[in-house]
Amino acid sequence: MSRKQKYDYQFKLDLVNKVIKEEHSVHELSNMYGLAKSQLQFWCKLHEHHGEKGLEDIAVKSYTADEKLEIIRYYQASGLSLIDTCAIFMVASFSTLFQWVVKFEQIGYQGLVDKRGDHLKKKKTPKRMAKTKVVPGIKDSMTDLERLTIENEYLRAEVAYLKKLEALAQSKQVKKKKP
């Protein structure tokens, strides 16, 4: 799937001004520049409703189910086109609004609820739990200082053991090398 082409502000403004001044039709300009006619119409509607500021990049945002419902109700009550409604509410794509309308008509309000990421929000037990070391000699009734002292002694003994083990392994390698 290819990414959408991003057009800069000046390019959009130039084309919209050509349409407004009736230098060219939407159809002519869309053919000249290889744009979808609906895209250029959308830019014209954005300019009509919001002025030049409307042609700046529309931030793609997440809408709550209530916001979606408000936009759908406005669309249905006003009798405006999808493009007009999207331009008024600064919805980045009229196909998005169309999908909202279809889901609302088929499922109702629940169809407007965004369920993306819900599976991540549910608590999952980790597949692999971290190893916890059990230090012998530590009891719940001990103070923090006593626990830390015992743990420190245990860790020192463990380090000393590992050093001895490594020294033993090295001495065996030295013996193997000698003929």
Side-chain angles (χ1 to χ4, degrees):
M1 178 185 241
S2 63
R3 289 186 52 88
K4 282 186 174 180
Q5 172 75 37
K6 290 253 185 184
Y7 299 98
D8 68 340
Y9 168 77
Q10 193 58 49
F11 176 76
K12 294 185 226 179
L13 184 61
D14 290 343
L15 292 184
V16 169
N17 283 332
K18 286 179 183 180
V19 172
I20 291 171
K21 293 175 185 172
E22 297 181 3
E23 293 175 12
H24 296 282
S25 70
V26 171
H27 183 72
E28 288 173 334
L29 287 173
S30 64
N31 284 340
M32 263 193 256
Y33 292 99
L35 290 170
K37 193 171 111 177
S38 58
Q39 183 66 58
L40 187 51
Q41 288 172 329
F42 183 56
W43 292 342
C44 291
K45 294 296 181 179
L46 284 170
H47 187 272
E48 180 182 322
H49 291 288
H50 301 284
E52 291 181 4
K53 186 100 171 132
L55 295 175
E56 293 176 3
D57 284 337
I58 296 177
V60 178
K61 67 172 223 151
S62 295
Y63 293 87
T64 64
D66 292 330
E67 289 172 326
K68 292 175 187 177
L69 183 61
E70 177 188 343
I71 295 169
I72 290 170
R73 286 198 173 140
Y74 182 86
Y75 164 70
Q76 292 172 335
S78 68
L80 293 174
S81 68
L82 287 169
I83 292 176
D84 280 321
T85 308
C86 288
I88 291 169
F89 289 98
M90 300 288 283
V91 176
S93 170
F94 43 91
S95 64
T96 301
L97 177 55
F98 180 73
Q99 289 172 359
W100 294 347
V101 171
V102 169
K103 284 180 182 177
F104 181 67
E105 288 173 352
Q106 290 176 348
I107 305 170
Y109 182 80
Q110 276 308 112
L112 302 177
V113 176
D114 188 5
K115 295 180 179 97
R116 291 177 296 175
D118 279 358
H119 67 285
L120 299 174
K121 294 175 188 171
K122 294 177 185 173
K123 278 194 170 180
K124 289 184 177 180
T125 55
K127 291 179 182 174
R128 196 170 173 194
M129 300 203 46
K131 261 190 174 179
T132 55
K133 282 192 175 182
V134 179
V135 179
I138 293 182
K139 297 178 183 127
D140 291 336
S141 60
M142 294 179 158
T143 65
D144 286 341
L145 182 61
E146 291 172 329
R147 286 183 192 170
L148 290 173
T149 305
I150 291 173
E151 185 177 358
N152 194 17
E153 288 173 8
Y154 177 82
L155 292 173
R156 283 184 183 183
E158 186 178 21
V159 168
Y161 173 79
L162 292 172
K163 282 183 179 178
K164 284 277 189 186
L165 193 60
E166 189 177 337
L168 184 63
Q170 284 178 353
S171 69
K172 282 186 178 180
Q173 280 183 340
V174 169
K175 286 182 181 177
K176 282 183 181 178
K177 287 182 181 178
K178 290 183 181 177

